[in-house]
Amino acid sequence: MRINIREQAMRVEYSLTCDRAVIPPWGIVGGGSARTVLNLVEHAGPSAEAFHFGKVSSFPLIPGDSLVLHAAGGGGYGDPLDRDPAAVESDVENGYISARRAAEEYGVVIGPDGSANASETARQRAELRAQRLFVALRESEFPAYDGTQGSHRIQPVSPAVAASLGTANGDLIEIVPGSGAPLRAWIRISADAPDDSIGIDRRGLLLMNAEPGALVQLRVPRTLNSANDQIIRAARVRPADSHPAAQ
C-alpha cells in the first residue's frame, strides 16, 4: 500500500514510528518475505529524495514536498511456484499483481488474452526452480551470534555462494528449510567456507527442525527499494577480520 501526502501551504514537520523497515515480514512453508516499509520525502525542486527507515522525528517539510509511505505487506504461505495458475491469473485480472510480477514471482505466464499459458508457465517455473541455490547443513561450533547493541546471527558462506546470491558482507539472507519459517542471518564471507554446505549451530538446527545433511535453500529476502539495501549494507559492513574465522 502506498500513501502520498503533499504539503501545500506551510512549513510543517512529520514524525513516524513503524516496524519492518529493515527486516521484512517472514514467509513460511517456502513462502517469500514481504516487502519492507519504505518512507521517503520527494522534495519540491531539484533536491534529492530523503529516505527514512521506520523511525523519524520532526523532519521538516516545505510546500511542494510529498511524503510517500509504503506499508509492509504480509509474508507468503507456501512455495509460490506451486500456486494454482488459475489463482494467479485471477490476481492479475483483479489488479492485485501485474503480469510481470506473476511471471517473476509465481512463474505464471499470462498471455495476451489474460489467461495463463500452460506450456510457457511450465517452462518459466522450471527455469526459476533451476536458479534456486541449495546447500547441505552441517553442524558447526562457530559462534553464531555477534553484536553489542543486539545479537545478530552470523552465517559464514563461501565467496562463490555470496556471488551466486549477489550479496556482500553484512547482507541478510534466509535459510529456508522444508517447513516452517526460514532462519535469517547476516552473512560473513569466508574463504574457508565450502561451496556446497553451510555450518549451523545446534540452536539453529533446532529452530529449523532440521538435521545435518538436510538440503536447504539460501535466498535473499525482499526489500522495497534498492536505496534501503544500499543504506543497510553501508551501515553493516565490517572488516573481514572483525569476527573469528569460520569453522
Side-chain angles (χ1 to χ4, degrees), residues 22 53 162-163 165-173 186-189 220-221 223 225-239:
V22 175
F53 293 133
L165 294 170
T167 53
N169 268 326
D171 283 354
L172 181 66
I173 63 168
W186 283 262
I187 69 167
R188 187 72 67 243
I189 300 174
V220 180
T223 53
N225 189 286
S226 60
N228 260 10
D229 299 334
Q230 293 166 8
I231 296 169
I232 294 167
R233 179 175 291 180
R236 288 197 169 139
V237 167
R238 288 174 289 176

Side-chain angles (χ1 to χ4, degrees), residues 34-65:
R35 304 283 180 174
T36 51
V37 166
L38 176 65
N39 309 308
L40 64 93
V41 175
E42 295 176 342
H43 289 299
S47 300
E49 295 175 327
F51 290 90
H52 301 126
F53 293 133
K55 297 173 179 62
V56 62
S57 178
S58 302
F59 187 88
L61 301 175
I62 61 174
D65 282 355

Side-chain angles (χ1 to χ4, degrees), residues 11-243:
R11 184 183 182 94
V12 299
E13 297 178 341
Y14 95 92
S15 299
L16 179 72
T17 299
C18 59
D19 292 328
R20 297 303 170 195
V22 175
I23 308 299
W26 274 260
I28 60 172
V29 198
S33 61
R35 304 283 180 174
T36 51
V37 166
L38 176 65
N39 309 308
L40 64 93
V41 175
E42 295 176 342
H43 289 299
S47 300
E49 295 175 327
F51 290 90
H52 301 126
F53 293 133
K55 297 173 179 62
V56 62
S57 178
S58 302
F59 187 88
L61 301 175
I62 61 174
D65 282 355
S66 291
L67 174 60
V68 182
L69 308 176
H70 288 268
Y77 181 90
D79 190 331
L81 299 185
D82 291 335
R83 190 154 185 250
D84 184 353
V88 179
E89 178 185 315
S90 176
D91 285 348
V92 174
E93 181 181 356
N94 288 302
Y96 298 136
I97 60 173
S98 65
R100 178 179 176 180
R101 176 93 186 273
E104 292 177 348
E105 302 288 347
Y106 297 95
V108 175
V109 178
I110 303 298
D113 62 351
S115 62
N117 183 307
S119 61
E120 287 299 306
T121 292
R123 179 192 59 78
Q124 175 74 356
R125 286 184 162 180
E127 289 184 3
L128 291 175
R129 284 193 171 94
Q131 294 170 10
R132 291 177 171 178
L133 176 62
F134 289 89
V135 295
L137 295 177
R138 53 187 171 79
E139 190 167 353
S140 172
E141 299 298 324
F142 177 77
Y145 292 93
D146 185 30
T148 56
Q149 295 181 338
S151 293
H152 291 72
R153 172 172 281 275
I154 303 300
Q155 181 59 58
V157 300
S158 72
V161 167
S164 295
L165 294 170
T167 53
N169 268 326
D171 283 354
L172 181 66
I173 63 168
E174 292 184 329
I175 305 165
V176 187
S179 62
L183 186 67
R184 287 177 169 173
W186 283 262
I187 69 167
R188 187 72 67 243
I189 300 174
S190 169
D192 296 327
D195 295 337
D196 59 355
S197 67
I198 57 170
I200 299 289
D201 64 317
R202 173 49 52 179
R203 181 180 182 183
L205 292 171
L206 290 172
L207 287 171
M208 292 190 292
N209 192 27
E211 294 294 333
L215 287 179
V216 292
Q217 182 189 356
L218 302 185
R219 68 186 183 192
V220 180
R222 303 181 187 91
T223 53
L224 183 62
N225 189 286
S226 60
N228 260 10
D229 299 334
Q230 293 166 8
I231 296 169
I232 294 167
R233 179 175 291 180
R236 288 197 169 139
V237 167
R238 288 174 289 176
D241 60 356
S242 66
H243 202 279

